[in-house]
Amino acid sequence: MTAQLNAPALDFGRLEEFVAKVQGDQAAAYNAILVHLGDRLGLWRALASSSTGGNQGTATIDALAERSGVARRYVQEWLSAQAANGYVSYDAASEAFTLSPEAAAVLSEEASPANLTAGFELIAGVWASVDKLANAYTTGDGLAWHEHDSRVFTSVARFYATMYRASLLTEWFPAVPGLIARLEAGIRVLDVGCGLGVPTILLAEAFPNSTFVGVDYHDESIRQAKAAAVEAGVTDRVQFHESDSTSYEGSYDLVLFFDAVHDMGDPAGALAHARAALRPGGQVVAVEPYAEDTLEANLENPVAGVFYVGSSALCVPHSISEGGQALGAQAGPARLLATFGEAGFGHASIAVATAYNLVIEAHG
């Protein structure tokens, strides 16, 4: 065997550090399966609602098995894994495990603004598509949204619902001058790429004088959105239709894109179609993931790792499947605003930038 020429000498201190990092990442990735199972089987909720010795969120193995309906031996190993990974604490004297109030807000309370369990469901859904992603990466082909595991659709809706409930009416829309007042008075609104309809329904509940239409090319998402509208009791002012971003009909006072522009094969075409659908004085509002304009700047953002991973597995493959330029989830404000310009908007600006999102308003 010929020795590799000019092989760099290893710094064993740095090697040990990197091995420790990868081992930690592997433990976190492996435990993500169990965190998702805890969400799916109700273990987190059962533990949060348990009480042992007057301590809320505390249960023994036997108590949690009985409360959750999960087999005892699996509960034993699951709790041990969560203790080893720092998700729960263990008291040897009482042989009880405790989920702190802070951890409960993240793992067991669906309506909590800190809830992150949907992210673990999304991980499970993406893993189910890994063979398709491998094929796309090697062929250069795309992987369309509808080709993913169904958990991707439900988990993305859950994930974004947390942000919509926390920020839509308190931070994003108030940053667009006059928008809240117009919605209160009553306007016609379109949500393009509406998915399961979460923000559309939230807006319909908040603004009963306005009417709302959601469109998405994915038939199963539209089916679930219609069912959600029935459950929410807003079918008198909400409609959902199967249509892509450049073929829907009608005229609207407000066209919305929630984390959708960067996913599209032809984002400028989609925005141009939205512009053509605007009534006089109408506007487009798009919510996009927060990003800077350069990779080096994005790498300073602590959440860029999640955004780039999601973009690599979902956003870019879908855009490529539509023959697109694949803006990606970290396109940055300059590229996004340039895309609005390509679509013919006379005005487009960042209405507000938060830790996780950019809100763009465009008209004219």
Side-chain angles (χ1 to χ4, degrees), residues 89-142:
S89 60
Y90 175 65
D91 178 64
S94 62
E95 297 186 339
F97 298 80
T98 298
L99 183 70
S100 71
E102 295 75 20
V106 174
L107 298 170
S108 71
E109 300 169 16
E110 187 74 16
S112 166
N115 187 279
L116 292 174
T117 48
F120 295 97
E121 182 185 6
L122 179 56
I123 291 168
V126 171
W127 266 114
S129 299
V130 70
D131 291 340
K132 294 179 180 179
L133 283 168
N135 179 70
Y137 271 53
T138 54
T139 62
D141 294 336

Side-chain angles (χ1 to χ4, degrees), residues 324-352:
Q325 57 185 290
L327 284 175
Q330 291 290 270
R335 289 182 70 194
L336 289 168
L337 293 177
T339 303
F340 277 83
E342 292 171 21
F345 284 94
H347 166 86
S349 65
I350 305 297
V352 65

Side-chain angles (χ1 to χ4, degrees), residues 178-188 206-211:
L179 181 55
I180 295 293
R182 294 179 67 210
L183 286 163
E184 289 175 338
I187 57 175
R188 183 166 168 79
F207 302 105
N209 292 330
S210 291
T211 58

Side-chain angles (χ1 to χ4, degrees), residues 283-352:
Q283 62 190 152
V284 168
V285 173
V287 179
E288 284 286 300
Y290 180 85
E292 300 287 350
D293 287 322
T294 65
L295 174 59
E296 55 268 31
N298 280 332
L299 294 181
E300 297 298 317
N301 183 357
V303 297
V306 172
F307 286 153
Y308 273 121
V309 169
S311 188
S312 300
L314 300 171
C315 310
V316 166
H318 179 78
S319 181
I320 291 174
S321 78
E322 296 184 340
Q325 57 185 290
L327 284 175
Q330 291 290 270
R335 289 182 70 194
L336 289 168
L337 293 177
T339 303
F340 277 83
E342 292 171 21
F345 284 94
H347 166 86
S349 65
I350 305 297
V352 65

Side-chain angles (χ1 to χ4, degrees), residues 160-198:
Y160 282 117
T162 299
M163 285 194 288
Y164 297 151
R165 287 192 295 263
S167 301
L168 183 58
L169 300 179
T170 61
E171 192 170 19
W172 299 345
F173 278 20
V176 180
L179 181 55
I180 295 293
R182 294 179 67 210
L183 286 163
E184 289 175 338
I187 57 175
R188 183 166 168 79
V189 183
L190 175 69
D191 180 2
V192 180
C194 65
L196 273 61
V198 173

